[in-house]
Amino acid sequence: MRTVEEHQAVVAALLPLLPEESVPLAAAHGRVLARDVRAAVALPSFDNSAMDGYAARWSEVAGATGASPVAMPVAEDIPAGRTDVVPLAPGTVHRIMTGAPLPPGADVVIPVELTDAGTETVEIRDALPRGRHVRSAGEDIAQGAVALVAGGPLGAAQLGLAAAVGIEELPVRRRPRVLVLSTGSELVAPGTPLLPGQIYESNSALLVAAVEEAGGEARRLHFVPDDVDQFLATVRAEVSSADLLITSGGVSAGAYEVVKDAFRTLGTVEFAKVAMQPGGPQGAGTVDGVPVVTLPGNPVSAFVSFEVFVRPALRRALGHGAPERLHVPARLTGPLTSPPEKRQFLRGRYGGGEVSQVGGPGSHLVAHLARANCLVVVPEDVTELPAGAEVDVVLIEGALQ
């Protein structure tokens, strides 16, 4: 029996770092940066005003008070976007708008609220320290400095920074192309009337969404019945276009385990039991040179197995600097038990530093999975924990809602 870490290493070794490609900023949202990106310009690229007001020499307005205002002639108007800014002549001020370039010679901006808002002559009624409300060139980031670090996901803030420093395209890792295939003669498509003994196929919907949330491009293959020849024909007709094939079902110890039976004939996929619950039966290897990971068929087992083995491997292949889910400590709101010698991944609901178990440990309880926002991890050597005990919690979708 493998440990969780041993099987994680097996799956991770199947997926090399994906190649780099350049994409326009508009197509980069959610992608992973492949290389450090440097600022083409400084931010700000010029000294500018942080307020609507008046650009002045501090030494000429330092004594202004409400009781003894300083009157100054307004020599220029500087709206944002003006490019022909003239130097500030001694004894004058320039009316200036937020973001407009500071005229040479000015070292303070007096907000309009501290004046009478004059347009030809302005009365300044309060003094401010030298440099106040002035944004200095390069104070945010210098030209040539690293703006975005390789391995980081590109969200709204990162794309905004890239645009602000003049970058049109970003180097990212190509998305992994993942095929998802569910097996089982009992499966029928949602919307089809069920006959006795049939169930609706749900794993492909679950796994396609999980692949896409991890950053991949998923394609669902039509689920196949428990027939070795049909299964292999379906796989070999499609697998050459993929970076990874994920199957669900057909890997246990029963008499009709089509995935295990089919891949054993090829001799390139290894099956093992992993010391965990749910998700003990696992497989990994290659088919026609393409990596394949075989997951159990029960929906909760498939989900937990993806989270533990496949998701971090996909994110490492994408170059993520932090491929793992966020782990946090939490206090149990109630007691729990766990089987010996197996790492337990229980569904939970986390909030306010506490976690409560959602439903039982059964791997078929998909409704309970949908209500969970975390996985509670119980180590292999722990069989029971009292209320109030601290546990390791893996935050999954919806954890902060």
Side-chain angles (χ1 to χ4, degrees):
M1 185 173 288
R2 284 179 180 164
T3 67
V4 170
E5 288 76 16
E6 286 170 345
H7 195 65
Q8 283 175 328
V10 169
V11 175
L14 293 173
L15 295 170
L17 195 64
L18 289 155
E20 178 185 320
E21 63 183 9
S22 291
V23 298
L25 235 55
H29 185 221
R31 304 293 292 272
V32 180
L33 198 66
R35 287 182 285 109
D36 290 354
V37 170
R38 296 183 179 274
V41 298
L43 286 183
S45 56
F46 50 86
D47 295 345
N48 68 87
S49 176
M51 298 286 286
D52 293 337
Y54 297 85
R57 282 183 167 83
W58 178 81
S59 61
E60 295 178 345
V61 298
T65 65
S68 180
V70 172
M72 302 285 286
V74 180
E76 294 280 346
D77 258 2
I78 313 177
R82 182 172 173 178
T83 59
D84 60 338
V85 177
V86 298
L88 180 66
T92 69
V93 297
H94 290 181
R95 191 168 69 151
I96 192 167
M97 303 301 121
T98 302
L102 198 72
D107 56 6
V108 69
V109 173
I110 307 300
V112 68
E113 292 85 355
L114 300 182
T115 75
D116 65 353
T119 57
E120 295 186 2
T121 300
V122 64
E123 191 175 86
I124 296 172
R125 297 168 177 169
D126 200 359
L128 295 175
R130 190 192 307 271
R132 181 66 59 86
H133 302 311
V134 173
R135 300 167 176 163
S136 299
E139 73 174 37
D140 190 6
I141 188 169
Q143 183 178 10
V146 173
L148 298 170
V149 178
L154 295 168
Q158 291 74 32
L159 295 180
L161 173 59
V165 296
I167 296 168
E168 296 180 274
E169 293 189 338
L170 287 167
V172 297
R173 295 289 170 190
R174 178 174 62 72
R175 293 185 189 275
R177 299 182 292 259
V178 181
L179 295 179
V180 173
L181 175 60
S182 297
T183 64
S185 295
E186 76 279 16
L187 303 178
V188 296
T192 304
L194 290 175
L195 298 176
Q198 293 183 329
I199 61 172
Y200 289 125
E201 196 281 315
S202 61
N203 280 358
S204 64
L206 182 155
L207 292 170
V208 163
V211 167
E212 290 173 349
E213 288 175 2
E217 293 178 346
R219 183 161 66 90
R220 181 190 289 107
L221 297 182
H222 192 273
F223 50 87
V224 298
D226 293 327
D227 181 275
V228 168
D229 292 337
Q230 186 174 345
F231 173 80
L232 279 178
T234 300
V235 168
R236 303 192 98 158
E238 301 283 353
V239 74
S240 62
S241 65
D243 298 302
L244 174 66
L245 169 67
I246 301 174
T247 68
S248 65
V251 295
S252 296
Y256 298 97
E257 304 299 340
V258 64
V259 174
K260 184 180 287 187
D261 293 342
F263 286 160
R264 273 181 171 165
T265 67
L266 303 180
T268 54
V269 178
E270 184 180 6
F271 296 91
K273 285 191 174 296
V274 178
M276 63 184 285
Q277 189 181 57
Q282 300 287 336
T286 61
V287 174
D288 296 344
V290 175
V292 57
V293 176
T294 69
L295 307 180
N298 276 315
V300 178
S301 296
F303 176 83
V304 170
S305 299
F306 182 92
E307 284 288 323
V308 174
F309 303 118
V310 184
R311 187 179 190 274
L314 284 175
R315 287 167 61 86
R316 285 191 185 90
L318 279 163
H320 269 281
E324 304 288 343
R325 290 278 197 190
L326 181 64
H327 288 234
V328 296
R331 296 181 308 279
L332 286 171
T333 60
L336 60 79
T337 60
S338 181
E341 300 181 354
K342 289 186 178 181
R343 189 174 308 176
Q344 186 89 333
F345 294 89
L346 298 170
R347 284 137 286 179
R349 191 78 193 171
Y350 170 82
E354 294 185 331
V355 64
S356 55
Q357 187 174 345
V358 176
S363 58
H364 62 294
L365 300 175
V366 68
H368 291 137
L369 176 64
R371 289 193 287 270
N373 66 9
C374 69
L375 296 175
V376 180
V377 184
V378 184
E380 293 86 337
D381 59 350
V382 174
T383 56
E384 55 183 291
L385 289 167
E390 186 174 282
V391 291
D392 181 34
V393 166
V394 182
L395 301 183
I396 56 175
E397 186 66 24
L400 301 182
Q401 296 178 354

